[in-house]
Amino acid sequence: MATTSKQYLTRGEDLWKGRAEKVNAELFALTYGALVVQLIQDYEDFAEVNKQLEKMGYNIGTRLIEDFLAKSGLGRCTDFREVGEVIAKVGFKSFLNIVPSVTHNAPVPNSSRPTSTGSAPQVDNGSSFVLTFDENPLAEFVELPEDVLEGGLWFSNVLCGVIRGALEMVQMQVQAEFISDVLRGDEATEIRVRLVKYLEEEVPVGDD
Amino acid sequence: MSHHLFILSPSDTPIYSLTYSSTKPAGNVSSPLSSNLPTWSTSAFAGTLTALSGASSTTQHTSGGGVRIGGGQDRHVIQMIANASLDAVEEVMRKENTMYLKSVDKFNEWTVSAFITPGNSKFILLHEAKNDEGIRAFFTDVWELYVKTVMNPFHSAQRVIKSNVFDARCRASAKKYL
């Protein structure tokens, strides 16, 4: 049964309302802001801070996906396009109460790719979607000073890690990165998520 | 007619200052001293005297009162006035509980109004004319902008506020109320 975009939105809305414990948005934003500032003071290198934020996000994502699948009861997504829809309309909605808009991109055709006899998911490799945020609860009140702007910090990089960690737990290896950020003076805040490959189930070593 | 706003942290370090010239007519604000000076004393002495008399202008010898512009040479006088008023501010602060302390001090033609935030930051405004309601509204506006700036995780309590956004918004608010 194909789930339509509207049904995803309703599902996300229900999940958000059904969640009993919510936290004050200002407290959340201030906590995250303090975290980023502390990381900057500790590492003093903005590329490193980006990496650490992504790693933290990865750890969050690997745990978050279980909670998400349990509460939402959604089944496996048929293709990568659907993954994008679910993340934007149900995932972000139920955890942050925002719905970023999704723009899908077909995989870049690669003529040198050997013809595979694999199933349909192989075709998805390399496809991507872009999430465009018109509001970012993590970055309320934040204004980046000049040295931070020049250093190349992606303030909300934890979100990229969350997406990567969550999708890895459902057998998809992706690359998630920021393309633009309003904090940096760009027009919009965008994350591109690109599918690298589907992960095969691996039999643990030692099993017969 | 110009206004000078100073924002001081709880430890009295200046965090922000703004000079704003209003286009609204302020009535006759000629300084009593400078009008008595003979026209030949255009030397530095006269400059100092007019500066000390609190007039914020490079001396304009046009008859009938020229337009007064905030002069760079008088900056130190303005700051002296602001600093001197801090004692008066503290005195009133102890007695009253309200945030907006109306006019706390007077220096020739300059009146000093103060606003104390709950976090003990002081906003000092030097102005020439009486404009209680406008100034109160202006202070409240600046307070809101200040709170938003302080919430920025990259801002530290003692540092000078360098944000252009804050500056632009303060000016817009000054334009609206002063």
Side-chain angles (χ1 to χ4, degrees), chain A residues 50-119:
Chain A
N50 283 341
K51 226 170 70 168
Q52 291 300 324
L53 284 173
E54 214 264 352
K55 268 206 228 171
M56 287 163 54
Y58 178 81
N59 288 323
I60 297 175
T62 53
R63 291 162 178 75
L64 203 69
I65 186 73
E66 293 296 337
D67 180 53
F68 175 68
L69 289 174
K71 293 228 167 79
S72 68
L74 289 172
R76 193 174 279 281
C77 292
T78 49
D79 57 8
F80 198 61
R81 191 191 176 80
E82 205 173 325
V83 171
E85 295 285 316
V86 169
I87 288 182
K89 299 192 165 73
V90 194
F92 272 96
K93 175 71 185 171
S94 63
F95 289 112
L96 288 175
N97 199 24
I98 53 174
V99 181
S101 54
V102 201
T103 330
H104 298 277
N105 294 313
V108 176
N110 188 355
S111 54
S112 62
R113 192 163 22 126
T115 49
S116 63
T117 50
S119 46

Side-chain angles (χ1 to χ4, degrees), chain A residues 138-163:
Chain A
L138 291 172
E140 294 280 337
F141 316 118
V142 176
E143 220 179 287
L144 299 181
E146 275 179 24
D147 50 345
V148 179
L149 274 172
E150 285 164 23
L153 177 79
W154 294 118
F155 188 80
S156 318
N157 212 31
V158 73
L159 295 176
C160 294
V162 170
I163 295 175

Side-chain angles (χ1 to χ4, degrees), chain A:
Chain A
M1 181 178 70
T3 333
T4 62
S5 156
K6 197 146 170 259
Q7 282 172 304
Y8 282 140
L9 280 169
T10 335
R11 194 90 197 86
E13 186 73 37
D14 291 338
L15 280 171
W16 170 254
K17 296 218 175 100
R19 218 168 256 284
E21 319 102 24
K22 296 192 180 54
V23 73
N24 180 301
E26 286 188 4
L27 176 64
F28 181 60
L30 288 175
T31 307
Y32 184 71
L35 176 80
V36 174
V37 169
Q38 195 58 51
L39 279 178
I40 292 177
Q41 281 176 12
D42 288 345
Y43 285 101
E44 287 178 5
D45 169 32
F46 296 110
E48 188 62 32
V49 173
N50 283 341
K51 226 170 70 168
Q52 291 300 324
L53 284 173
E54 214 264 352
K55 268 206 228 171
M56 287 163 54
Y58 178 81
N59 288 323
I60 297 175
T62 53
R63 291 162 178 75
L64 203 69
I65 186 73
E66 293 296 337
D67 180 53
F68 175 68
L69 289 174
K71 293 228 167 79
S72 68
L74 289 172
R76 193 174 279 281
C77 292
T78 49
D79 57 8
F80 198 61
R81 191 191 176 80
E82 205 173 325
V83 171
E85 295 285 316
V86 169
I87 288 182
K89 299 192 165 73
V90 194
F92 272 96
K93 175 71 185 171
S94 63
F95 289 112
L96 288 175
N97 199 24
I98 53 174
V99 181
S101 54
V102 201
T103 330
H104 298 277
N105 294 313
V108 176
N110 188 355
S111 54
S112 62
R113 192 163 22 126
T115 49
S116 63
T117 50
S119 46
Q122 297 295 334
V123 182
D124 273 346
N125 284 5
S127 54
S128 63
F129 58 87
V130 173
L131 297 166
T132 310
F133 298 85
D134 51 6
E135 54 168 328
N136 185 358
L138 291 172
E140 294 280 337
F141 316 118
V142 176
E143 220 179 287
L144 299 181
E146 275 179 24
D147 50 345
V148 179
L149 274 172
E150 285 164 23
L153 177 79
W154 294 118
F155 188 80
S156 318
N157 212 31
V158 73
L159 295 176
C160 294
V162 170
I163 295 175
R164 182 169 75 90
L167 289 179
E168 195 161 304
M169 287 292 116
V170 281
Q171 263 73 52
M172 281 175 259
Q173 188 182 13
V174 300
Q175 239 183 356
E177 57 190 5
F178 267 93
I179 312 179
S180 62
D181 193 354
V182 286
L183 291 176
R184 293 244 225 141
D186 302 321
E187 302 244 330
T189 309
E190 293 171 334
I191 296 182
R192 183 195 292 126
V193 183
R194 197 177 67 85
L195 177 67
V196 174
K197 63 176 179 183
Y198 284 93
L199 300 166
E200 296 299 323
E201 290 278 356
E202 283 176 5
V203 179
V205 178
D207 271 15
D208 278 321

Side-chain angles (χ1 to χ4, degrees), chain A residues 30 33 37 40 141 143-145, chain B residues 148 151-154 163-165:
Chain A
L30 288 175
V37 169
I40 292 177
F141 316 118
E143 220 179 287
L144 299 181
Chain B
K148 290 202 181 113
M151 294 268 247
N152 182 7
F154 289 100
S163 152
N164 289 333
V165 176

Side-chain angles (χ1 to χ4, degrees), chain B residues 21-171:
Chain B
S21 288
S22 158
T23 49
K24 295 205 184 104
N28 193 5
V29 277
S30 58
S31 155
L33 266 182
S34 64
S35 53
N36 289 335
L37 284 174
T39 47
W40 50 260
S41 57
T42 50
S43 59
F45 172 72
T48 321
L49 200 55
T50 40
L52 280 175
S53 69
S56 152
S57 65
T58 49
T59 319
Q60 301 244 358
H61 289 290
T62 53
S63 55
V67 175
R68 288 167 180 272
I69 321 159
Q73 63 189 99
D74 308 301
R75 194 93 194 115
H76 58 281
V77 178
I78 305 292
Q79 297 202 336
M80 185 199 83
I81 302 175
N83 272 307
S85 68
L86 287 180
D87 284 338
V89 170
E90 297 225 345
E91 249 183 67
V92 185
M93 205 168 94
R94 266 170 245 291
K95 290 188 234 147
E96 289 196 35
N97 241 350
T98 54
M99 286 193 295
Y100 174 46
L101 315 168
K102 294 197 189 38
S103 79
V104 168
D105 194 17
K106 226 171 142 34
F107 184 88
N108 284 345
E109 72 205 25
W110 289 102
T111 322
V112 180
S113 295
F115 181 94
I116 316 277
T117 68
N120 266 338
S121 298
K122 304 182 184 63
F123 302 167
I124 311 280
L125 183 69
L126 270 73
H127 55 100
E128 284 163 322
K130 214 167 139 52
N131 187 6
D132 272 353
E133 274 319 299
I135 292 182
R136 177 200 294 269
F138 174 64
F139 271 144
T140 316
D141 238 17
V142 172
W143 183 32
E144 271 183 46
L145 295 171
Y146 175 69
V147 169
K148 290 202 181 113
T149 308
V150 164
M151 294 268 247
N152 182 7
F154 289 100
H155 177 267
S156 70
Q158 310 303 323
R159 259 178 40 186
V160 176
I161 298 180
K162 289 198 199 108
S163 152
N164 289 333
V165 176
F166 178 73
D167 196 42
R169 291 209 181 125
C170 271
R171 279 177 205 279

